[in-house]
Amino acid sequence: MTSIATLTLTRFSSSSFNRISKRFSSRAPTNTHNRLQMSSSSSSPTEPKQSEKISAPYGSWKSQITADVVSGASKRLGGTAIDSLGRLIWLESRPSESGRAVLVREPDKPEGEPVDITPKDYAVRTLAQEYGGGAFSVSGDTLIFSNYKDQRLYKQSLSPNDSSPVPLTPDYGGPVVSYADGVFDARFNRFVTVQEDRRQSSTNSTTTIVTVGLDGKNIREPEVLIGGTDFYAFPRLDPKGERLAWIEWCHPNMPWDQAQLWVGYISDSGEVHKRICVAGSDPTIKESPIEPKWSSKGELFFITDRQSGYWNLYKWVESNNEVLSVYSLDAEFSKPLWVFGINSYEFIQSHEQKNVIACSYRQNGRSYLGILDDAQGSLSLLSIPFTDIDNITLGINCLYVEGASEVDPLSVAKVTLDEDKSKAVDFKIIWSSSPDCLKYKSYFSLPELIEFPTEVPGQIAFAYFYPPSNPNYQATHDEKPPLLLKSHGGPTAESRGILNLSVQYWTSRGWAFVDVNYGGSSGYGREYRERLLKKWGIVDVDDCCSCAKYLVGSGKADGERLCITGGSAGGYTTLAALAFRDTFKAGASLYGVADLNMLRAETHKFESHYIDNLVGSEKDYYDRSPINFADKFSCPIILFQGLEDKVVPPDQARKIYKALKEKGLPVALVEYEGEQHGFRKAENIKFTLEQQMVFFARLVGRFKVADEINPIKIDNFD
């Protein structure tokens, strides 16, 4: 291992609170039917009695949750579907295969093994809008998917006798045209999908809704069905293929700021000959409709935030172009459209009198799964172990739910309902991002949902606090733990109080960890989300600093050992907090933003005007860019960057690294070949985690890390 400060890494050897603090006690009761048991197995560490615990400084504790364990448990989920026999298909990305995304089908028999559908030479991933999502669709035994390497669409039979993918879209000589969020059109034997064309410009692409022929014999240029607007999502056909619904929006808005829902009528020749705006055209109503979906009898439902500022369920009355509320609640029934393919509700029963809808929503920091009767306007909750839910897929007499909890990692569960569709009678984990993690149960630190005061009098913000936890260790007398504060990305995203082994890596070694939902985060309604408008770099930074100070004042953290980390927009908040405040003693920026003007000039189309609403004037762009104020930095920083990142290009990290090095501050930069925005390779996930740990330990920790980690050279320190 070389020890220079700037590294280009391709691979590494595996050897190398008070009254407003609340425990997450409101989670649903555990259903024991086919539940993954939280029992102590032979491989599970035995928790010693309190008197047997070793007294050692916080941060120096030895843990079985190693960086290898974390990197091996970092599978991502890219969506689910059902084949013609009702078997679940899911898309998983594998760090052990350099982040390759593979479609997998559940076994035919309970004792069988899941079957990889994607051939070895393919990977299922779209680069549409850089963040992708909606990379595959299944209808019966036919699969359409986007291949990562060339970004072409392929058709594949799910029959075991014929699994060779056949290309459907032209070869443009490189991955310059991407597709996402597609649906089958049986009426015209075609595929309707969002297309992003970067042939003319990589930073100002053209987005349209196109049709792709499915005969597979003659590959033709896709035909544009809908075009002329900056962005499109959710093309959805009614059951007869006669009407198409879609979402569209224009710069400078993001889809959660202002969007429109349209319906187009499809002629006998397959063209859209008439269209009508269902939601978003009234200038007096500020709304962002999302997730249009047709019932089996041809009614259009969707989610929007037009009245309360919360994403609730509505339906369209076509006869008079009227929008009616289906159910109102101060809760979020959907989430920001960062990726394609969001699916927060499903029709589980539909007839003339009513629709019965399975839906999820988020309220006060946790998720709920419910059954909604639109005729009665009633919502009944299902009792399942998940306290966090992402997407729902309808199976045969069941639901497949993507979710997690404070003791469950990201998983897919099969939820079987009773005959009345009102209760969950069975709950079974089908897929887990980390199936072996339960053997570390005795180490788990459970999140405390905390509310803390912000800089604005009378205003609060939210975070998940994880205290140090290790069955074999206790702190030395009168010591407070070091704190690592995480600032999430987006910035329109949300931290979730779920089992994440990368968090447990810190807490099991004696660190306190806090994941902040600063003003601007999603999950708390439009008003909370819009706290950040024109104030990015102020509200988020203030809230992170306020949270850290609150924890110090509550006796939960050592004020002299406060560290901050974040990726992407969270990396910007990290750098801004270190430049413009004196709360933290060290920081780690993962592919973070240092120069707002550079970001505006170089980033991809989807976010190219995003920060116009977040920052404001030209003076604000300058004043809030950490790179312009290197003289204000006063503590050590380590930076991590992917060299193929198009969202936050590598020059951002290099620029801040050079400035801090010249200033004389301890600084290190790690660059990864083959990584984009977010790290997908196991060896890089491991290295990033370990180097943050040893960097903080050496510079602010006052302890020695128990793990054998070879630290990289730190400029102005080593």
Side-chain angles (χ1 to χ4, degrees):
M1 177 69 63
T2 180
S3 61
I4 59 173
T6 305
L7 299 172
T8 299
L9 302 166
T10 55
R11 66 180 183 272
F12 297 96
S13 167
S14 59
S15 60
S16 338
F17 305 151
N18 58 26
R19 59 183 176 84
I20 56 177
S21 294
K22 337 189 242 291
R23 176 67 63 180
F24 227 38
S25 58
S26 58
R27 62 184 185 277
T30 298
N31 186 325
T32 58
H33 291 286
N34 289 313
R35 182 81 171 94
L36 278 181
Q37 297 301 312
M38 300 292 288
S39 60
S40 298
S41 64
S42 57
S43 58
S44 175
T46 302
E47 186 168 344
K49 297 178 181 178
Q50 183 72 24
S51 59
E52 297 174 347
K53 288 192 174 186
I54 302 167
S55 292
Y58 284 119
S60 68
W61 302 350
K62 193 168 185 61
S63 171
Q64 291 193 16
I65 303 177
T66 64
D68 279 314
V69 169
V70 175
S71 62
S74 298
K75 287 183 182 177
R76 300 186 184 190
L77 189 64
T80 56
I82 302 296
D83 71 5
S84 61
L85 298 178
R87 294 171 298 191
L88 180 69
I89 294 172
W90 64 86
L91 179 61
E92 66 176 45
S93 66
R94 298 170 175 171
S96 60
E97 297 182 33
S98 298
R100 175 174 173 256
V102 179
L103 283 165
V104 185
R105 183 172 58 204
E106 71 173 315
D108 295 327
K109 298 179 181 179
E111 66 274 11
E113 291 294 323
V115 178
D116 283 7
I117 295 172
T118 307
K120 294 289 186 183
D121 295 335
Y122 296 83
V124 180
R125 183 181 165 198
T126 175
L127 294 176
Q129 293 183 179
E130 290 302 322
Y131 298 108
F136 73 100
S137 295
V138 175
S139 178
D141 285 328
T142 301
L143 162 70
I144 308 294
F145 70 90
S146 172
N147 185 45
Y148 172 57
K149 186 174 182 180
D150 57 15
Q151 289 294 286
R152 299 173 72 185
L153 285 182
Y154 287 77
K155 181 172 74 170
Q156 182 180 354
S157 171
L158 295 177
S159 168
N161 300 322
D162 180 17
S163 60
S164 300
V166 176
L168 295 175
T169 54
D171 182 356
Y172 298 111
V176 291
V177 178
S178 298
Y179 308 88
D181 212 11
V183 292
F184 288 82
D185 184 356
R187 183 181 171 198
F188 295 98
N189 191 32
R190 63 188 183 179
F191 193 64
V192 180
T193 182
V194 176
Q195 180 194 72
E196 183 182 27
D197 189 341
R198 298 179 295 276
R199 283 176 287 179
Q200 298 300 317
S201 171
S202 61
T203 57
N204 190 27
S205 56
T206 300
T207 304
T208 52
I209 295 175
V210 302
T211 64
V212 177
L214 290 179
D215 59 22
K217 297 176 182 178
N218 299 307
I219 299 176
R220 299 184 296 272
E221 191 77 21
E223 296 182 5
V224 175
L225 194 62
I226 305 290
T229 298
D230 290 324
F231 302 100
Y232 296 94
F234 293 106
R236 298 294 184 262
L237 284 162
D238 74 6
K240 295 181 179 180
E242 297 175 347
R243 294 168 296 175
L244 178 74
W246 70 89
I247 299 293
E248 64 179 52
W249 68 99
C250 300
H251 284 317
N253 291 313
M254 298 301 282
W256 50 85
D257 294 325
Q258 189 83 28
Q260 293 182 335
L261 167 60
W262 287 80
V263 169
Y265 295 83
I266 301 174
S267 68
D268 291 339
S269 62
E271 299 175 342
V272 174
H273 67 94
K274 185 178 72 171
R275 62 183 72 182
I276 185 169
C277 188
V278 172
S281 62
D282 186 341
T284 66
I285 300 176
K286 192 174 187 180
E287 64 178 323
S288 49
I290 191 172
E291 294 196 61
K293 185 171 295 188
W294 300 90
S295 72
S296 61
K297 56 183 180 179
E299 293 177 303
L300 181 63
F301 287 69
F302 63 99
I303 294 171
T304 191
D305 57 350
R306 60 166 46 196
Q307 293 176 350
S308 65
Y310 289 92
W311 275 308
N312 283 187
L313 200 59
Y314 290 77
K315 68 179 175 181
W316 176 50
V317 180
E318 184 177 12
S319 58
N320 57 357
N321 191 26
E322 184 182 5
V323 171
L324 299 179
S325 171
V326 175
Y327 192 82
S328 296
L329 189 68
D330 285 351
E332 300 281 48
F333 282 74
S334 190
K335 59 187 177 183
L337 202 166
W338 279 106
V339 298
F340 291 104
I342 299 170
N343 200 53
S344 304
Y345 67 101
E346 284 275 20
F347 297 102
I348 59 175
Q349 198 176 75
S350 181
H351 50 70
E352 288 301 320
Q353 285 74 38
K354 65 180 180 179
N355 293 286
V356 178
I357 303 168
C359 57
S360 65
Y361 66 87
R362 210 155 162 78
Q363 187 178 51
N364 298 328
R366 65 153 289 169
S367 298
Y368 299 85
L369 180 65
I371 302 296
L372 177 61
D373 184 325
D374 77 324
Q376 297 181 2
S378 62
L379 179 67
S380 57
L381 296 182
L382 299 179
S383 178
I384 65 172
F386 288 163
T387 56
D388 191 279
I389 297 169
D390 265 337
N391 295 306
I392 302 170
T393 298
L394 182 64
I396 298 177
N397 299 319
C398 69
L399 300 170
Y400 290 98
V401 179
E402 299 174 28
S405 75
E406 59 188 25
V407 293
D408 295 294
L410 176 62
S411 308
V412 179
K414 181 179 181 179
V415 180
T416 305
L417 304 177
D418 64 2
E419 290 186 4
D420 295 331
K421 306 293 189 293
S422 61
K423 294 181 180 179
V425 296
D426 195 31
F427 180 92
K428 179 182 179 182
I429 299 292
I430 302 295
W431 176 89
S432 173
S433 60
S434 178
D436 297 327
C437 71
L438 295 181
K439 64 186 179 184
Y440 306 108
K441 174 196 171 185
S442 62
Y443 287 87
F444 291 171
S445 174
L446 302 184
E448 299 173 14
L449 177 61
I450 63 170
E451 301 171 357
F452 59 90
T454 71
E455 293 289 316
V456 178
Q459 185 186 83
I460 60 170
F462 307 93
Y464 295 100
F465 174 72
Y466 299 79
S469 177
N470 188 306
N472 305 313
Y473 289 89
Q474 61 187 8
T476 50
H477 186 62
D478 289 337
E479 185 191 10
K480 302 296 182 186
L483 174 73
L484 181 60
L485 181 145
K486 180 185 175 185
S487 172
H488 66 66
T492 309
E494 181 188 2
S495 297
R496 306 286 187 101
I498 64 176
L499 180 62
N500 183 338
L501 289 186
S502 65
V503 173
Q504 306 298 326
Y505 175 83
W506 293 91
T507 56
S508 64
R509 283 164 175 75
W511 281 74
F513 191 102
V514 65
D515 210 345
V516 182
N517 276 318
Y518 48 78
S521 303
S522 57
Y524 300 89
R526 179 182 283 269
E527 183 179 345
Y528 192 85
R529 200 167 65 242
E530 291 186 345
R531 285 184 188 179
L532 208 58
L533 294 183
K534 306 300 181 186
K535 294 182 179 180
W536 191 32
I538 298 175
V539 168
D540 51 323
V541 172
D542 282 345
D543 286 358
C544 287
C545 293
S546 294
C547 183
K549 293 173 182 176
Y550 169 78
L551 291 171
V552 171
S554 302
K556 296 177 182 291
D558 182 349
E560 296 304 312
R561 293 188 289 175
L562 301 177
C563 300
I564 183 171
T565 187
S568 189
Y572 166 71
T573 301
T574 293
L575 293 173
L578 296 174
F580 305 125
R581 308 289 190 277
D582 59 2
T583 304
F584 299 98
K585 308 304 179 184
S589 171
L590 284 65
Y591 40 93
V593 178
D595 188 329
L596 294 173
N597 269 312
M598 185 185 292
L599 177 68
R600 179 170 55 173
E602 295 183 353
T603 197
H604 59 132
K605 180 185 176 183
F606 177 58
E607 294 184 88
S608 60
H609 290 271
Y610 182 24
I611 59 175
D612 291 355
N613 289 331
L614 294 176
V615 179
S617 69
E618 291 300 320
K619 183 175 185 300
D620 292 328
Y621 271 88
Y622 182 88
D623 289 346
R624 296 187 208 161
S625 294
I627 191 62
N628 298 325
F629 299 93
D631 60 307
K632 292 184 178 293
F633 284 94
S634 59
C635 67
I637 300 175
I638 186 168
L639 306 127
F640 300 88
Q641 180 68 43
L643 291 177
E644 295 183 13
D645 193 339
K646 292 183 175 64
V647 178
V648 180
D651 278 350
Q652 295 260 337
R654 291 170 178 167
K655 202 172 175 184
I656 200 77
Y657 163 71
K658 181 181 177 183
L660 298 180
K661 183 180 177 182
E662 291 175 352
K663 177 177 168 60
L665 284 175
V667 64
L669 169 64
V670 178
E671 296 181 321
Y672 297 120
E673 289 184 349
E675 292 283 18
Q676 298 169 335
H677 197 63
F679 306 145
R680 287 175 165 80
K681 298 180 181 180
E683 62 268 28
N684 296 341
I685 295 169
K686 174 189 175 183
F687 192 80
T688 301
L689 198 56
E690 288 185 332
Q691 292 303 322
Q692 285 185 82
M693 173 68 74
V694 74
F695 183 86
F696 293 147
R698 296 178 69 199
L699 292 160
V700 301
R702 301 198 301 272
F703 57 82
K704 185 179 186 304
V705 177
D707 306 82
E708 291 295 328
I709 301 173
N710 183 25
I712 61 171
K713 180 179 179 291
I714 302 170
D715 286 296
N716 302 318
F717 183 76
D718 290 319

